[in-house]
Amino acid sequence: MTIISELSAASDVPVAEPRKSRKNNPEKTRENILQEAIVEFVQQGLSGARVDAIAERIHTSKRMIYYYFGSKEQLYVEVLEKLYGDIRSTENRLHLAELEPVEAIRRLVEFTFDHHDRNVDFVRIVSIENIHNAEYIKRSDAIKAMNNTILDSLGEILRRGAEEGVFRSGLEPLDVHLLISSFCFYRVSNRHTFGEIFQVDLPDESIKQRHREMICESVLRYLQA
C-alpha cells in the first residue's frame, strides 16, 4: 500500500520539460549587424567607424561580425547594397506598369520624395560614398544590377506616355531619373546648410508638402514640354 501511494504521489508531480537550446538564426544575426552598422557608418563615416562599436551595440563579438562579413570594408559594401536594395524593392511594389503614364510618374516622384525624407540614413550613406568617389560601389555588381530596374521601369512609362501623346518623344530614362533624384536628394542632404542660409525649416510639414507637389509638377512639365 505504501509503495503504491508513493508511486501515485510521484506521478502527480509535474515533470520539467527539457530546456530547449536557442537556435542560431544567421539571417537575423546578419540583419542585426547591418542595422547597427548603418548607424555606426552614418555617425562616424567609413574611416571613423569601428567594428568594436557595432559589436558592442548588439552584444556580440568582433569575431562574429568578421565571420559574417569578412572585413569592415565588406560590411560597408553590404550596407550600401541593403540601402539601395530597400528603395529599389519598394519601387517594384508600386505597380507603376498598371498606372496611366502621368499617374505613374506622379507616384514615382512622391515615393522618391517620401523615401528620402523618411530615410535620412540612406542620403547620408550615399553622401559618404561620394566622398570616397564611389570606390565601394565599384566593388558591387549587385548595386549596378538592381539600379537598372528603375531605368527599365521609367523607360516603359516614357514609351507609353509618348505613344499616348501625354509625354514628348525622345526622353532618356536616365535623365528623368537624375532629375527626380536631384530634387528629392538635395533637400535632405543639404537641409541644414540650406535651412540656415535661407532661414527656412525644410522638415516643416507645410513646406514639405509644398515642395512635394512642386517637384511633381516640375518633372511633369519637363516630360510634357
Side-chain angles (χ1 to χ4, degrees):
M1 258 330 253
T2 305
I3 294 174
I4 293 173
S5 299
E6 288 175 353
L7 288 173
S8 177
S11 66
D12 293 335
V13 176
V15 178
E17 292 184 3
R19 217 172 148 188
K20 294 180 181 178
S21 61
R22 187 172 60 183
K23 293 182 179 178
N24 289 329
N25 186 336
E27 288 305 313
K28 180 65 175 174
T29 301
R30 282 179 58 87
E31 180 65 21
N32 289 342
I33 293 171
L34 283 171
Q35 290 294 346
E36 292 305 328
I38 291 170
V39 175
E40 181 70 7
F41 288 128
V42 164
Q43 291 180 352
Q44 307 298 333
L46 174 59
S47 302
R50 295 188 309 112
V51 175
D52 285 332
I54 298 169
E56 186 176 338
R57 280 196 182 96
I58 54 176
H59 308 293
T60 190
S61 66
K62 187 174 178 179
R63 180 181 297 178
M64 178 66 74
I65 293 176
Y66 285 139
Y67 171 78
Y68 280 103
F69 296 97
S71 67
K72 183 176 81 168
E73 288 73 20
Q74 183 57 33
L75 175 57
Y76 174 71
V77 170
E78 296 205 31
V79 162
L80 287 168
E81 290 178 348
K82 172 178 170 50
L83 292 175
Y84 275 105
D86 286 347
I87 187 170
R88 298 285 91 95
S89 64
T90 309
E91 280 171 348
N92 290 336
R93 296 196 294 271
L94 296 177
H95 304 294
L96 299 176
E98 301 171 14
L99 302 174
E100 293 297 320
V102 171
E103 183 56 33
I105 290 294
R106 182 175 290 276
R107 177 173 291 187
L108 178 61
V109 172
E110 290 174 346
F111 163 76
T112 307
F113 183 97
D114 292 341
H115 184 277
H116 286 41
D117 184 71
R118 295 169 185 165
N119 295 273
V120 177
D121 287 351
F122 170 74
V123 174
R124 289 177 177 167
I125 288 286
V126 172
S127 297
I128 289 168
E129 181 59 6
N130 274 284
I131 292 172
H132 293 278
N133 300 312
E135 176 185 347
Y136 295 92
I137 281 182
K138 291 173 187 174
R139 303 183 186 184
S140 174
D141 292 333
I143 291 177
K144 296 167 192 171
M146 71 178 68
N147 280 279
N148 283 332
T149 61
I150 185 57
L151 298 184
D152 294 339
S153 181
L154 262 174
E156 179 61 19
I157 296 168
L158 298 175
R159 183 193 63 78
R160 290 192 292 118
E163 288 178 354
E164 295 175 20
V166 294
F167 297 154
R168 58 193 173 94
S169 59
L171 292 162
E172 289 292 334
L174 183 60
D175 294 342
V176 179
H177 178 56
L178 177 63
L179 180 64
I180 295 171
S181 297
S182 299
F183 275 132
C184 298
F185 191 93
Y186 181 89
R187 67 175 304 281
V188 179
S189 65
N190 290 52
R191 66 170 48 170
H192 298 294
T193 52
F194 190 92
E196 183 59 35
I197 291 169
F198 297 103
Q199 290 298 290
V200 59
D201 182 16
L202 290 178
D204 179 83
E205 282 300 322
S206 61
I207 295 175
K208 191 189 306 182
Q209 290 306 313
R210 187 172 77 244
H211 287 173
R212 192 172 185 260
E213 183 60 28
M214 178 192 73
I215 294 170
C216 281
E217 294 306 318
S218 297
V219 172
L220 287 170
R221 277 199 299 271
Y222 170 76
L223 301 182
Q224 295 166 344

